[in-house]
Amino acid sequence: MQPAAPDETDATAEPVRDLASAFDDADDVARVLARTGYLADDALATVTFLATRLGRPLLLEGEPGTGKTALAEAVAQALDLPLVRLQCYEGIDATQALYDWDFPRQILHLRTLEAVGRPDGAAGGDDAVAAAEAQLFDERFLLARPILRALREAPCVLLVDEVDRADDEFEAFLLEVLSTWQVTVPELGTIAAATPPLVVLTSNRTRELHDALKRRCLYHWIDHPGLARELDIVRSRLPEVSEALATQVVSAVQRLRETAGLVKPPGVAETLDWARALDTVGATRLDAETAAATLGAAVKYREDAERVRAMLDRVLTA
C-alpha cells in the first residue's frame, strides 16, 4: 500500500475513458499500480478495484505517511488521467471548492466598455446595461475550483485530501456533490459530470466523519506496512540504496513505531527520506553516529528527536 519505484509504465497507453472497466480485477490493480511505483496489498487493491467498478468514492483513513494521498496519485498516473486535488482545511467552504468569479478581469472589462462607449457617446440604455452585466458572468470570467474542474474534466481522479480538517457544513456539501455528480452555478445553470470521476477522500482521523458520508463511500483503513512490505517499497523506490542499509533503516523505523512512543511516528515517506539521506552522505550502514546526524529526515518533532537519540543504541541493536 505504498510507493515503490517509477518504472516501465506503458508510455503508449491511451487514457482510460470508462473507469468501470479500467481494471480487470484486484490483481490487475496491484499490477498496474506497481508500474507507477505504488505497492498495494490485497485489501487495498480490492477496495480500489471496487471503487472503480462500482463508481463509489473511496474513503481512506490512516496515520499520516501511510500512502493515502499517494494512492490517488498512483491511480491517476497509472490510468493516464488528470489528478484534481482539493486540499481541505479549517474554514474551507463550498465557494473555495467550486468556483469563483474573476473580479479584477470583470472590472477591467467594464472599464474597457466604458472607454469604448465614451468616444462616440454611446450611452446604451437599459438593454446595453443588461448586456454588459450578462457579459460579466460568462465562462471567460469563471474561475473553476477543484470540484467543478473534476466534474468537467471527468474521467479523472478527484483527491479530496484531509477531509477531516473541514467542518460539518463542508462535509454535507461534499455528500451532496458525491451523490448527484452535479453542481449549479446560478449564472450558468447546472453542470454535471459526463461520467463520475474516481473520488479518493483521505482522513487522518483528527475527528470522526459523519456516517452519511461514510455510507456513500467505500471505506479502507491503511496501516503502516510490515517490515517485508516496507523493505520492498524502499528497495523498489531507491534501488541505489544497498539492501543491507535499506534493511537497517526499515528495521529501525519499525522499532521506533512500535516502541518509542513518538508524537509522530515516521511514515513510509520518512523511511524513504531517511534512506535517501543516508545514501546521500555516503553511509553504507546505519550506526549511532550517522543515525543521529540524519535523524531529521525521519522524525519531525524536537521531543521525538530527543527521545530517539536517547535510545539509538537500543533501536539499532535490537
Side-chain angles (χ1 to χ4, degrees), residues 4-194:
D7 67 328
E8 68 280 3
T9 303
D10 184 358
T12 63
E14 292 291 331
V16 169
R17 296 301 174 196
D18 179 14
L19 283 170
S21 59
F23 300 107
D24 296 330
D25 50 32
D27 290 341
D28 190 35
V29 172
R31 184 169 52 254
V32 172
L33 292 185
R35 292 177 188 160
T36 72
Y38 192 95
L39 302 183
D41 60 21
D42 291 343
L44 183 56
T46 298
V47 78
T48 303
F49 169 69
L50 291 174
T52 57
R53 182 59 62 94
L54 302 178
R56 297 280 297 277
L58 176 56
L59 171 59
L60 300 175
E61 283 194 329
E63 297 294 328
T66 50
K68 303 183 294 296
T69 299
L71 175 71
E73 295 168 344
V75 171
Q77 181 183 348
L79 301 181
D80 195 17
L81 292 175
L83 174 67
V84 181
R85 178 170 183 160
L86 173 61
Q87 177 63 54
C88 296
Y89 51 87
E90 186 177 353
I92 189 173
D93 60 26
T95 299
Q96 292 157 321
L98 270 181
Y99 71 94
D100 209 341
W101 293 105
D102 190 342
F103 291 122
R105 287 194 63 208
Q106 287 174 317
I107 292 173
L108 182 61
H109 181 69
L110 279 178
R111 289 177 177 171
T112 302
L113 291 178
E114 290 172 355
V116 170
R118 206 170 280 136
D120 58 4
D126 292 344
D127 290 346
V129 171
E133 289 179 349
Q135 290 176 11
L136 295 178
F137 295 101
D138 66 19
E139 282 281 351
R140 57 183 159 156
F141 299 116
L142 183 69
L143 298 175
R145 303 305 186 196
I147 288 184
L148 182 58
R149 282 182 51 212
L151 294 178
R152 285 179 156 178
E153 295 179 17
C156 64
V157 177
L158 171 61
L159 169 62
V160 183
D161 215 5
E162 300 184 333
V163 66
D164 52 320
R165 289 189 174 189
D167 56 23
D168 293 349
E169 289 75 15
F170 188 76
E171 196 177 313
F173 158 74
L174 269 182
L175 178 62
E176 180 181 351
V177 172
L178 297 181
S179 299
T180 62
W181 304 115
Q182 65 180 30
V183 297
T184 298
V185 179
E187 297 85 356
L188 300 177
T190 299
I191 299 172

